[in-house]
Amino acid sequence: MKPLSERLNDRLERRDRRSWEDGEAQDQLHAPDRDPEVDELVTLARRLQSTSHLQADPDFASQLERRMLIQHAALSRKQPAHRCFFPRMWHMNPAPAIALGFCLLVLLLGTSMLVVAASITNPANPLYVLKRWEQHVQVSLSNSPTPQAELDLQYARERLHTLASLTNPAHDDAYRQALADLDKQMNDATRAISALSVVPERNRLRNELSSFEAEERHTLRTFLPQLDVPDRLVTTDELGRLGDIVPRLLSVEIVLSVRSSRHIIISISGDNIQPGAQLLMDGQVMEAQGSFHNGVYVFMLSLSGNQLPRNIGILNTDNTAAQTSTITVKSSNENSNGDGGSGNNGDHGKGNNGGKPGKTPAPHH
């Protein structure tokens, strides 16, 4: 039921729409919702209105109305209503408001950083670590092995596309890190696909993996002319792991001249060494006269000092490269002076493990 004030207003509005002589009495008699309290107040109002000495002066009423409106406007400016939850809570107790504001700020910044990190492709960017963490979480949340294998393959594609922007020599470290990430992601994808128990899904993803490996080989070969020698070495190693035809060194021998230790002959034997290949010494391309016979490349040159190279390799005409630190040093009278290498720590394209290239080692400069 409406309050008395609203019921009175309704009755007065109906009364204003009719004249008292023509309709009010009939309205009261036939109204379906007759209200004794309202009827009594309406009768009182009619009597007051008909009493002339109780009527307010029109000028006074108008002046009073203006003063009330001005006073109301002044009070509204001094005491604004606090209708928002957060400002009201701030005035009541600022500590929870501060904590809530901090949480909202962290949530906003965290979401924004994830959105920004998703578009980062340079491993040197600090947000790249956040992107890798996000990808790791997505793979971990994948309950089925099939989605996990698909995600691993997708991330490998993303890392391959990352390399295109890092072929500039100024990004050497970032390029090698991205290439190492690509190799790891490929291994993860291969293991995940091999672990699938559903044969149709396993065969489908194996076909996708084979197609992607062919794409990766083609893409890495297009990078080779833009890379410096150390990056060509690690890229060649990756091509070898993908089953591409790359040079592999089997043996390197340095023969010292009896007349001068600065005059040396370097013999390099191996597989897939192309005619016209250039000599590499400690990661640098050397101007040396060479001849190629039966898979053995022979170079004759004079050293600028007495220090022998620690690493020797070749750079093929297709820009693939191989290098090793396992070097045999002899004099020209065939008396061995011992080995001048330090094992296989600096080998790239060194024949081992049944002729398969090993994992990428750190190159020597």
Side-chain angles (χ1 to χ4, degrees):
M1 186 175 181
K2 294 183 179 180
L4 179 60
S5 59
E6 293 185 15
R7 301 201 306 272
L8 178 59
N9 287 333
D10 293 342
R11 180 65 63 82
L12 292 175
E13 288 177 1
R14 289 200 300 269
R15 181 179 177 278
D16 290 340
R17 290 194 296 267
R18 299 180 177 90
S19 65
W20 176 261
E21 294 78 12
D22 295 336
E24 182 162 17
Q26 187 177 0
D27 179 70
Q28 292 181 3
L29 291 173
H30 300 284
D33 55 346
R34 293 189 61 186
D35 191 332
E37 292 180 295
V38 175
D39 294 341
E40 184 179 355
L41 291 174
V42 169
T43 301
L44 178 60
R46 184 171 64 84
R47 290 176 181 175
L48 292 175
Q49 188 177 18
S50 63
T51 306
S52 60
H53 63 274
L54 295 178
Q55 297 294 319
D57 181 78
D59 296 334
F60 172 80
S62 177
Q63 185 178 5
L64 179 61
E65 183 181 7
R66 286 196 301 271
R67 288 183 178 180
M68 292 180 65
L69 293 175
I70 293 173
Q71 183 67 13
H72 176 72
L75 291 175
S76 299
R77 288 194 298 268
K78 291 181 179 179
Q79 299 179 355
H82 299 286
R83 297 182 179 178
C84 296
F85 169 76
F86 189 80
R88 182 164 63 249
M89 188 177 69
W90 177 275
H91 288 279
M92 293 175 59
N93 193 346
I98 294 174
L100 178 59
F102 179 75
C103 293
L104 291 175
L105 179 61
V106 171
L107 179 62
L108 178 61
L109 291 177
T111 305
S112 301
M113 290 182 66
L114 286 176
V115 173
V116 174
S119 61
I120 298 300
T121 59
N122 188 349
N125 192 307
L127 291 180
Y128 187 76
V129 178
L130 182 60
K131 177 181 180 178
R132 294 185 61 183
W133 171 82
E134 181 186 5
Q135 292 176 342
H136 176 72
V137 171
Q138 291 180 6
V139 173
S140 300
L141 293 177
S142 175
N143 296 325
S144 173
T146 300
Q148 180 172 344
E150 291 175 340
L151 284 174
D152 287 333
L153 198 55
Q154 172 188 339
Y155 297 152
R157 291 190 181 96
E158 292 179 357
R159 280 164 172 76
L160 179 61
H161 296 158
T162 297
L163 289 172
S165 61
L166 303 175
T167 55
N168 190 299
H171 301 146
D172 280 350
D173 294 338
Y175 177 86
R176 293 169 199 167
Q177 180 62 51
L179 189 63
D181 289 342
L182 172 61
D183 181 68
K184 180 181 181 302
Q185 201 64 60
M186 287 292 293
N187 292 334
D188 292 344
T190 302
R191 285 194 297 267
I193 292 173
S194 299
L196 293 178
S197 58
V198 182
V199 176
E201 289 296 317
R202 185 172 65 241
N203 292 338
R204 176 180 65 84
L205 289 176
R206 277 181 175 172
N207 291 335
E208 290 187 16
L209 179 63
S210 298
S211 299
F212 176 66
E213 287 177 342
E215 177 187 353
E216 183 181 354
R217 288 193 297 268
H218 173 75
T219 302
L220 292 181
R221 279 193 172 270
T222 62
F223 293 160
L224 286 173
Q226 311 170 47
L227 303 174
D228 57 13
V229 171
D231 289 344
R232 291 184 189 184
L233 289 168
V234 295
T235 303
T236 300
D237 286 344
E238 184 64 25
L239 287 170
R241 281 189 287 272
L242 293 170
D244 205 349
I245 299 176
V246 296
R248 294 198 302 268
L249 303 185
L250 301 178
S251 67
V252 175
E253 182 181 86
I254 295 179
V255 178
L256 302 177
S257 172
V258 177
R259 298 179 181 179
S260 173
S261 60
R262 294 187 178 184
H263 299 287
I264 61 174
I265 300 175
I266 300 177
S267 299
I268 302 175
S269 64
D271 297 328
N272 304 318
I273 301 177
Q274 299 171 350
Q278 296 176 282
L279 175 66
L280 297 177
M281 290 177 53
D282 294 329
Q284 302 294 323
V285 180
M286 306 300 296
E287 295 292 338
Q289 180 181 358
S291 58
F292 184 68
H293 299 287
N294 298 326
V296 177
Y297 234 116
V298 179
F299 296 92
M300 302 179 62
L301 72 159
S302 297
L303 301 177
S304 57
N306 294 323
Q307 184 67 36
L308 293 177
R310 297 176 55 194
N311 303 280
I312 290 180
I314 57 94
L315 177 64
N316 270 343
T317 55
D318 64 357
N319 293 298
T320 55
Q323 178 177 273
T324 181
S325 60
T326 304
I327 304 170
T328 301
V329 181
K330 295 181 179 181
S331 64
S332 58
N333 60 7
E334 296 184 356
N335 291 325
S336 174
N337 291 332
D339 289 342
S342 56
N344 294 332
N345 293 332
D347 292 352
H348 292 270
K350 170 71 173 149
N352 52 29
N353 297 328
K356 297 179 181 180
K359 289 294 182 181
T360 305
H364 293 281
H365 296 282

